[in-house]
Amino acid sequence: MKRWNGWGDDNTDYPLSELAEEYLANLFKAKDLPSDAAIEDVIQSVPDSPFGNNDFINVEPEQRLRHALGQSLPDWINLRSGRIPRLPDGVIFPTSTDEILATLEFAKTSQSHLIPYGGGTSVVGHINPPKSDKPVLTLDLHQFDKLVDFDEKNLLATFEAGITGPQIETELNALGYTLGHFPQSFEYSTLGGWVATRSSGQQSYYYGRIEDLFRGGQLLTYKGELNIPPFPASAAGTDLKQLILGSEGRIGILSEVTVTIKPLPEFEEFYAFFFKKWESGMLAVRQIVQNDIQVSMVRLSDAQETETTLILSGKRNLLRWAGFGLDVLGYRKNRCLLILGITGRRTRTSQALEAASQICKIQGGLYAGKYIGTSWKKSRFRTPYLRNSLWEKGYALDTLETAAPWSKIQQIKDETINAIEDVNHQKGDAILVFGHLSHVYPTGASIYITYIFKRSPDPDENLERWRDMKEAASKAIIISGGTISHHHGVGRDHSRYMDEEKGLVGVDLISNITQYFDPDGILNPGALIGPKFENENENHVNIQK
Ligand SMILES: Cc1cc2nc3c(=O)[nH]c(=O)nc-3n(C[C@H](O)[C@H](O)[C@H](O)COP(=O)(O)OP(=O)(O)OC[C@H]3O[C@@H](n4cnc5c(N)ncnc54)[C@H](O)[C@@H]3O)c2cc1C
């Protein structure tokens, strides 16, 4: 069963190795930790629902609890301490379009809010019930998970929107195809969630981001059905798919999604290279992309991430392999690991590997074979389980991400890391921060930052520390010219930065679109565009550039 207060299945663990424990214990001072709240106790504290339990609405406290929060760090802090700010008053599990339409109608007549819910893997507060006097219903689409149409001739497949990553790949792989969308949350996140948050999979350079894969579908709204046919391209005015992408449950329920698919690749391998300096690795990566070399993934870790992830993997073999000969060659200190994915038809992949290797070599990259890349691939969906083990040993982990043009990447990475470190150093707290570059484009790349700290026994202290770091990092990102999110989306945690990102006209336009589709403000209020508070400071963040 899915963990109620952490990541993944109860029966899957990724324990911290002795080596990792030792490494972290050396960095952080031990603090006493209270044990986590027990689900039975939290269930006891769930308030009554205004709705009665029936075939249509599930008001069981456990179901409501399991749909109350997502996967962000503040969500974890609240879940683990048993303090749930607001629960949905009922959960609805539709199995047909008619049931979704009936739910929309019920939410309207009962004057409730309605939150569309895919896998609940949001890390920015997308699915958390808003502060409101009105009842809140959550619409969990996990039973809406069928392959509706497979169109081999046109390389298209249509699915119900609640289908998860593994279910999609099982269906398509059996027919010799793949969608190729592999976010790290693949195990639980859903097709509808990916579209609604503009998700990006790890091999997006080869397969495309979700906006490239999303070809059409059906959105059920208060204005009626919006059906978008899968034209290969169209000049008929505004592309309505763009209204749905990133709509974060504010304009309707995505019931069906048509995606473009690819035949299963003939060849796929992940290779490792070490660079003596991050700057050389970054230059190699930029040249690979700008020379249109057909790689499927690049992931360049900075020196701190290289060291930490090798240690956290707990695999002595991996460390031995990664350390082999490196001292002698001078790659040990500050070495940065590049994992390079090559995917596709054999004829093209061998050329791609040769061309990419040549560029890496010119920039001083040391080829380290396939072992590290193969290990990365094997554990890529298991790595999130480490977060559970870290928490249990007293450590909190959070991530944030952005994207920017190549000319700004270095500054944005440095400034964001400095901002997070400064918040902690001012208070005399230790923090471990590191980053990697991935999701590359000819014009720029995304930067992904991870930070780990020893949590306090006091959940309020942890929340405050998270808030300070999040705000400092978000401001640094905006000031240095990055987007507030490359793929996690806006949710409730980033909505205060939308004025800066989109400008007042842009925000007004998005608000008008949500109002057009949902004039009564029923659908997921607070996500994407925040509520308007009386205190102006709460509406947006004051940023002096
Ligand atoms: C460990 C971990 C790793 C992650 N890695 C990645 C990654 O590599 N790439 C990436 O892009 N993201 C990643 N994420 C973030 C998250 O998985 C994505 O945002 C994902 O797209 C959310 O999908 P979901 O089905 O869980 O949606 P939910 O979290 O359930 O919902 C997200 C939003 O979409 C809306 N929504 C969901 N379904 C529908 C629907 N059918 N109709 C209308 N609106 C809908 C919801 O209302 C909500 O606003 C990660 C998260 C975690 C916890």
Side-chain angles (χ1 to χ4, degrees):
M1 195 175 196
K2 202 168 157 189
R3 278 183 174 82
W4 73 280
N5 63 355
W7 178 256
D9 190 279
D10 274 327
N11 294 316
T12 306
D13 275 325
Y14 192 157
L16 274 188
S17 66
E18 251 176 59
L19 188 69
E21 275 197 54
E22 232 174 73
Y23 176 75
L24 292 169
N26 282 335
L27 288 173
F28 299 104
K29 284 192 211 102
K31 285 186 179 150
D32 293 334
L33 288 174
S35 49
D36 292 335
I39 187 166
E40 301 74 27
D41 296 336
V42 185
I43 285 174
Q44 288 295 322
S45 67
V46 171
D48 288 342
S49 164
F51 302 110
N53 208 15
N54 55 43
D55 287 349
F56 185 53
I57 306 179
N58 187 321
V59 297
E60 287 163 19
E62 182 167 347
Q63 280 302 346
R64 292 166 56 204
L65 172 61
R66 286 179 177 275
H67 290 83
L69 292 163
Q71 290 288 326
S72 71
L73 182 55
D75 291 344
W76 272 49
I77 294 170
N78 283 326
L79 282 167
R80 298 272 182 160
S81 58
R83 305 177 324 168
I84 316 299
R86 169 88 205 252
L87 292 111
D89 297 292
V91 186
I92 297 169
F93 299 94
T95 53
S96 68
T97 305
D98 283 347
E99 285 177 10
I100 297 180
L101 290 170
T103 307
L104 283 169
E105 192 50 35
F106 179 77
K108 191 172 184 173
T109 51
S110 63
Q111 298 196 3
S112 307
H113 294 303
L114 183 64
I115 303 181
Y117 183 104
T121 67
S122 163
V123 283
V124 288
H126 280 112
I127 47 88
N128 306 19
K131 285 182 202 150
S132 165
D133 298 336
K134 293 183 177 175
V136 176
L137 293 164
T138 292
L139 183 74
D140 179 330
L141 289 143
H142 87 267
Q143 296 186 69
F144 218 69
D145 61 354
K146 309 287 174 304
L147 171 62
V148 178
D149 188 48
F150 175 70
D151 177 355
E152 191 167 21
K153 184 166 188 182
N154 296 311
L155 290 179
L156 293 169
T158 301
F159 294 97
E160 291 178 338
I163 192 165
T164 62
Q167 289 174 306
I168 291 174
E169 288 302 325
T170 304
E171 292 279 6
L172 291 179
N173 293 176
L175 298 162
Y177 288 84
T178 178
L179 176 61
H181 190 73
F182 302 114
Q184 206 187 31
S185 56
F186 176 75
E187 194 179 344
Y188 290 100
S189 54
T190 64
L191 185 52
W194 297 340
V195 173
T197 60
R198 299 189 86 102
S199 159
S200 197
Q202 287 166 337
Q203 285 159 270
S204 63
Y205 191 67
Y206 177 69
Y207 291 108
R209 283 166 62 91
I210 200 67
E211 56 256 45
D212 306 310
L213 300 169
F214 175 47
R215 303 311 314 155
Q218 182 181 58
L219 186 79
L220 305 175
T221 83
Y222 282 110
K223 291 279 177 187
E225 286 176 21
L226 182 62
N227 288 298
I228 304 186
F231 298 122
S234 164
T238 305
D239 180 356
L240 297 176
K241 296 197 294 300
Q242 295 297 331
L243 293 185
I244 299 177
L245 284 158
S247 57
E248 303 198 347
R250 293 294 308 261
I251 63 172
I253 314 296
L254 198 48
S255 51
E256 284 183 8
V257 178
T258 302
V259 283
T260 178
I261 54 174
K262 269 191 161 71
L264 281 166
E266 285 176 1
F267 177 91
E268 177 159 272
E269 292 289 358
F270 293 87
Y271 303 90
F273 294 82
F274 283 107
F275 289 85
K276 285 184 186 167
K277 288 190 307 193
W278 160 267
E279 289 78 5
S280 331
M282 198 165 70
L283 183 55
V285 167
R286 177 161 67 81
Q287 288 181 347
I288 288 171
V289 183
Q290 291 183 340
N291 283 296
D292 201 18
I293 296 169
Q294 294 295 299
V295 295
S296 60
M297 188 193 82
V298 296
R299 185 189 163 104
L300 176 69
S301 297
D302 67 12
Q304 186 64 69
E305 180 169 296
T306 301
E307 182 182 351
T308 311
T309 46
L310 287 171
I311 290 173
L312 288 187
S313 80
K315 293 182 185 136
R316 288 195 186 270
N317 262 352
L318 195 67
L319 274 168
R320 217 172 293 132
W321 184 262
F324 183 70
L326 291 181
D327 277 336
V328 183
L329 296 164
Y331 281 79
R332 170 72 71 169
K333 197 167 173 286
N334 291 334
R335 70 198 160 134
C336 295
L337 171 66
L338 169 66
I339 300 180
L340 195 68
I342 307 263
T343 304
R345 290 194 186 281
R346 273 182 199 284
T347 43
R348 294 176 73 185
T349 51
S350 51
Q351 280 169 8
L353 178 60
E354 206 181 306
S357 304
Q358 187 60 23
I359 289 178
C360 289
K361 199 170 154 197
I362 291 169
Q363 298 309 331
L366 178 72
Y367 176 64
K370 290 192 278 194
Y371 184 79
I372 297 173
T374 308
S375 300
W376 172 84
K377 186 184 174 188
K378 244 192 221 161
S379 59
R380 64 172 158 169
F381 305 130
R382 210 175 144 237
T383 312
Y385 285 87
L386 254 185
R387 214 174 147 201
N388 300 324
S389 314
L390 283 165
W391 181 276
E392 275 132 35
K393 295 287 175 192
Y395 304 102
L397 178 150
D398 194 22
T399 61
L400 45 91
E401 39 77 52
T402 178
W406 285 108
S407 55
K408 294 183 172 163
I409 290 288
Q410 187 64 55
Q411 184 197 348
I412 218 163
K413 177 173 170 300
D414 293 347
E415 299 282 330
T416 312
I417 289 182
N418 289 343
I420 296 172
E421 285 178 344
D422 282 353
V423 166
N424 290 278
H425 294 166
Q426 276 162 21
K427 294 185 181 163
D429 289 330
I431 185 93
L432 181 60
V433 197
F434 45 85
H436 67 249
L437 179 154
S438 53
H439 301 290
V440 284
Y441 308 87
T443 55
S446 74
I447 285 282
Y448 192 90
I449 306 283
T450 302
Y451 54 92
I452 303 177
F453 62 95
K454 186 90 189 173
R455 59 194 171 86
S456 152
D458 178 357
D460 284 328
E461 242 179 62
N462 292 322
L463 281 176
E464 192 188 313
R465 190 166 173 187
W466 170 81
R467 240 177 255 123
D468 289 347
M469 288 190 280
K470 181 78 180 172
E471 182 158 330
S474 302
K475 282 183 175 174
I477 285 172
I478 289 171
I479 291 168
S480 329
T483 169
I484 195 62
S485 174
H486 169 264
H487 59 264
H488 285 164
V490 181
R492 289 173 175 76
D493 295 349
H494 291 155
S495 61
R496 293 164 74 224
Y497 302 93
M498 286 294 269
D499 284 359
E500 282 290 336
E501 173 114 9
K502 304 286 185 199
L504 295 179
V505 174
V507 167
D508 202 37
L509 175 63
I510 298 171
S511 301
N512 275 294
I513 292 170
T514 62
Q515 260 166 31
Y516 167 80
F517 281 108
D518 178 23
D520 300 324
I522 294 167
L523 293 167
N524 209 8
L528 185 59
I529 299 291
K532 288 288 168 216
F533 295 101
E534 268 175 37
N535 174 359
E536 259 306 297
N537 289 337
E538 290 186 56
N539 294 326
H540 59 90
V541 178
N542 193 7
I543 293 177
Q544 317 257 304
K545 287 193 185 169

